[in-house]
């Protein structure tokens, strides 16, 4: 009975949304940056998001959270190049990569539903600048998180259509076609044969 309940719970679980998976990878990439700032004894700074990655707002939001967790106060966030940068210590961060992609296709059993691997990757380039915009230190950091979800849940978990960086194309399933029904029929026929054979004995 307990096994059945566990199986039902696994079936009902759809996993985190692509945005949540990307956040996990992003936090892993932000942590070394925040640790470096905290280790330098900097108590407050301005965060400047460099580049034109569509997820720049997400990087900013997550980085501010991680910095605050390390005791570093963010006095301002700059996400538009046209804004004037104040004369304070600035942490300039460029998202080099922030994506959610799909990997291998699998099935828990021969006749089970298709499942697909998700891979969230993040790579950041960070530069710490003093009040005169002189480089104090630079750092590259990254994070990667993987999980496996049901193929049928991919649309639901992909999120907004505007977040193209979170909606990679699904890989082609090479295991379908005519071969799959033949395998399923063979497995079912074998089970029926074994059932009646055991009863005859």
């Amino acid at each position: 009975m307990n096994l059945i309940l566990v199986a039902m719970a696994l079936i009902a679980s759809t996993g985190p949304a692509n945005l949540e998976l990307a956040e996990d990878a992003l936090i892993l990439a932000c942590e070394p940056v925040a640790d470096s700032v905290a280790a330098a004894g900097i108590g407050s700074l301005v965060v400047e998001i460099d580049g034109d990655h569509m997820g720049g707002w997400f990087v900013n939001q997550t980085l501010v959270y991680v910095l605050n967790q390390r005791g570093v106060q963010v006095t301002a966030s700059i996400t538009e190049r046209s804004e004037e940068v104040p004369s304070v210590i600035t942490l300039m961060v460029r998202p080099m990569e922030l994506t959610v992609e799909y990997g291998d296709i699998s099935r828990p059993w021969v006749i089970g539903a298709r499942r697909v691997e998700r891979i969230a990757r993040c790579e950041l380039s960070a530069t710490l600048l003093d009040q005169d915009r002189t480089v104090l230190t630079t750092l590259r950091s990254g994070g990667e998180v993987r999980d496996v979800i049901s193929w049928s849940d991919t649309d639901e978990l992909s999120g907004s259509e505007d977040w193209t960086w979170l909606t990679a194309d699904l890989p082609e399933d090479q295991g379908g076609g005519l071969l799959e029904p033949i395998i399923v029929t063979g497995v079912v026929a074998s089970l029926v044969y074994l059932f009646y054979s055991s009863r005859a004995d």
Side-chain angles (χ1 to χ4, degrees):
M1 182 65 178
N2 290 338
L3 183 60
I4 295 175
L5 292 176
V6 170
M8 292 178 64
L10 289 174
I11 293 172
S13 176
T14 58
N18 286 10
L19 186 66
E20 295 173 278
L21 198 71
E23 183 178 33
D24 291 341
L26 179 52
I27 288 175
L28 290 176
C30 287
E31 287 176 338
V33 176
D35 289 340
S36 179
V37 172
I42 298 172
S44 63
L45 48 69
V46 167
V47 169
E48 178 183 347
I49 303 300
D50 191 27
D52 54 3
H53 192 285
M54 294 179 64
W57 63 270
F58 191 42
V59 174
N60 176 74
Q61 173 183 299
T62 307
L63 180 58
V64 169
Y65 167 78
V66 176
L67 284 167
N68 288 337
Q69 291 291 310
R70 300 301 192 276
V72 180
Q73 181 183 5
V74 178
T75 58
S77 295
I78 300 170
T79 56
E80 298 292 337
R81 293 183 179 180
S82 60
E83 295 187 33
E84 183 178 352
V85 180
S87 298
V88 295
I89 292 180
T90 302
L91 178 62
M92 184 170 62
V93 176
R94 174 185 284 269
M96 307 299 291
E97 181 180 16
L98 182 56
T99 59
V100 175
E101 300 173 343
Y102 295 105
D104 295 334
I105 302 169
S106 62
R107 296 176 187 271
W109 300 283
V110 176
I111 58 174
R114 287 180 298 176
R115 305 179 69 183
V116 63
E117 180 185 33
R118 281 189 306 177
I119 308 152
R121 293 191 181 95
C122 177
E123 185 177 355
L124 303 176
S125 174
T127 304
L128 193 62
L129 307 169
D130 68 9
Q131 292 87 341
D132 299 321
R133 305 290 287 181
T134 301
V135 175
L136 298 175
T137 186
T138 60
L139 177 67
R140 291 283 290 265
S141 65
E144 181 177 302
V145 179
R146 296 169 179 255
D147 72 352
V148 178
I149 60 171
S150 171
W151 182 283
S152 61
D153 291 331
T154 53
D155 286 341
E156 178 184 347
L157 298 178
S158 63
S160 171
E161 293 182 356
D162 296 331
W163 299 343
T164 55
W165 46 282
L166 294 178
T167 53
D169 293 332
L170 284 165
E172 293 185 7
D173 186 357
Q174 303 297 330
L178 295 175
L179 183 59
E180 181 177 310
I182 294 173
I183 294 174
V184 172
T185 302
V187 170
V188 172
S190 298
L191 292 174
V192 171
Y193 173 78
L194 290 173
F195 174 75
Y196 283 106
S197 296
S198 62
R199 293 189 65 181
D201 295 338

